[in-house]
Structure formats: structure tokens, C-alpha cells
């Protein structure tokens, strides 16, 4: 799924008619290599389908970021974009739920779901605004920082251990973020 910045760099010249600074694209590529070192994917026969789905997900995310950027250029209000994104996502998820097993929700789970919904809404507003007015590929490159934050949370709360590959990956992502933040 973290291939979306790479797809974004490849599609921006085609869809948005923008020239990409080669240094920025290489910064994003360095971040992707850092993600590779942290996640340490395996390539056995059973993971090919999941890998292809991840690539398709990355392409889909890149297309969504490009469309949000285009909507921003057309002065479309961010809240309207978020409303329709949420509406379509809710309808599609509801349809998929019809074919699966539905479990009852406990009060504790309801509070957790409410907290997730509020934080996801705030995050969606922020990311939509960032792609609307900011540097599209730079924003995508900075998205790799989520892996560093989740690694830190794993160390603090789950007593996870960082090996040399993870340390190298974190370093590459930080370098990528520095490259992506320079215009």
C-alpha cells in the first residue's frame, strides 16, 4: 500500500501535467526503500495475491490523491469532497457487510469506534487540505512517517525490539522526509 507515492510521482506528469523535480521523486523512492527495510516483506507463493492487492491499493490511493489535488485546483470545498468520499465509502462498506458475518457491538467497542471515527474525520480533513493546497508529491513522501510513529508506539507500548534493518529503514524515511519537505 505504501507504493502510492511512487505511483503518484509517475502519474502526476500525465494527469496533472506537472513536472516532477527529480530530487523529490528520488526522495520518495528512498522512503519506499526505508519502508521495505522496516516491513521486511516475504515473497512466497501465498503472498502474491496480497502483494498484487497492495499494489492496486497503492495505485488507487495515488489516484485519489490526484483527484483531491484536482478538486482543490477547481476550488471545490474540502468538506464537500470529504462528505462524498465518506458517503460512497459508507455505502460500499454497507453493501460488502451484507455478504459477511455481522457481530453485535458492545458499549466498550462503541466508544472505541466513536473515537476512531472522530480521529479519522479529523485526519481526512487535514489530508484533504494538505493535498488541496500543498505539494502533492511532498505530502505523499511524508506519509511514510506513519511507519516510524507506529514503530515507536510498538516499542513503547508493546515492548517491540528494533533490529538494524528497522533502524536503517527509519533513517531512510527521515532522509526521505527531509528531501520531500524541500521544494
Amino acid at each position: 500500500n505504501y507504493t502510492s507515492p511512487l505511483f503518484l510521482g509517475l502519474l502526476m506528469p500525465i494527469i496533472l501535467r506537472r513536472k516532477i523535480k527529480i530530487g523529490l521523486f528520488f526522495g520518495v523512492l528512498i522512503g519506499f526503500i526505508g519502508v521495505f527495510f522496516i516491513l521486511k516483506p516475504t515473497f512466497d507463493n501465498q503472498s502474491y495475491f496480497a502483494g498484487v492487492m497492495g499494489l492496486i491499493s497503492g495505485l488507487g490511493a495515488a489516484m485519489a490523491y490526484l483527484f483531491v489535488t484536482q478538486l482543490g485546483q477547481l476550488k471545490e470545498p474540502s468538506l464537500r469532497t470529504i462528505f462524498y468520499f465518506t458517503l460512497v465509502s459508507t455505502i460500499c462498506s454497507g453493501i460488502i457487510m451484507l455478504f459477511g458475518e455481522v457481530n453485535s457491538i458492545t458499549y466498550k467497542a462503541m466508544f472505541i469506534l466513536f473515537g476512531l471515527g472522530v480521529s479519522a474525520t479529523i485526519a481526512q480533513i487535514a489530508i484533504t487540505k494538505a493535498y488541496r493546497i500543498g505539494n502533492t508529491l511532498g505530502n505523499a513522501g511524508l506519509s511514510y512517517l506513519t511507519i516510524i510513529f507506529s514503530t515507536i508506539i510498538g516499542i513503547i507500548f508493546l515492548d517491540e525490539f528494533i533490529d538494524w534493518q528497522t533502524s536503517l529503514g527509519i533513517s531512510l524515511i527521515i532522509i526521505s522526509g527531509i528531501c520531500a519537505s524541500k521544494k
Side-chain angles (χ1 to χ4, degrees), residues 13-161:
I14 299 165
I15 294 175
L16 297 180
R17 307 274 189 252
R18 289 189 189 170
K19 289 189 175 189
I20 302 298
K21 293 180 182 176
I22 197 75
L24 181 60
F25 184 75
F26 279 118
V28 171
L29 184 61
I30 289 169
F32 178 73
I33 293 169
V35 169
F36 190 84
F37 275 107
I38 292 173
L39 298 180
K40 302 174 202 69
T42 59
F43 299 101
D44 59 11
N45 290 335
Q46 297 176 356
S47 65
Y48 286 122
F49 179 74
V52 169
M53 290 296 106
L55 286 174
I56 291 171
S57 173
L59 177 61
M63 295 297 291
Y65 296 147
L66 288 171
F67 293 142
V68 168
T69 300
Q70 284 183 318
L71 288 170
Q73 291 172 346
L74 296 171
K75 306 293 186 216
E76 186 70 23
S78 296
L79 290 179
R80 187 180 305 156
T81 303
I82 294 165
F83 171 76
Y84 282 111
F85 172 77
T86 305
L87 179 66
V88 170
S89 298
T90 302
I91 291 170
C92 291
S93 297
I95 291 170
I96 292 171
M97 278 181 51
L98 294 174
F99 301 103
E101 183 180 333
V102 179
N103 298 316
S104 61
I105 300 174
T106 64
Y107 285 111
K108 180 181 178 184
M110 197 177 311
F111 286 114
I112 293 171
L113 287 172
F114 179 76
L116 288 172
V118 169
S119 62
T121 301
I122 293 168
Q124 191 63 52
I125 291 168
I127 200 166
T128 300
K129 184 154 183 129
Y131 278 98
R132 183 173 180 235
I133 63 174
N135 180 330
T136 305
L137 192 57
N139 290 335
L142 292 173
S143 70
Y144 289 141
L145 292 173
T146 58
I147 294 179
I148 294 176
F149 291 129
S150 62
T151 301
I152 291 169
I153 289 170
I155 292 167
I156 294 171
F157 295 109
L158 303 174
D159 294 325
E160 291 183 352
F161 174 76

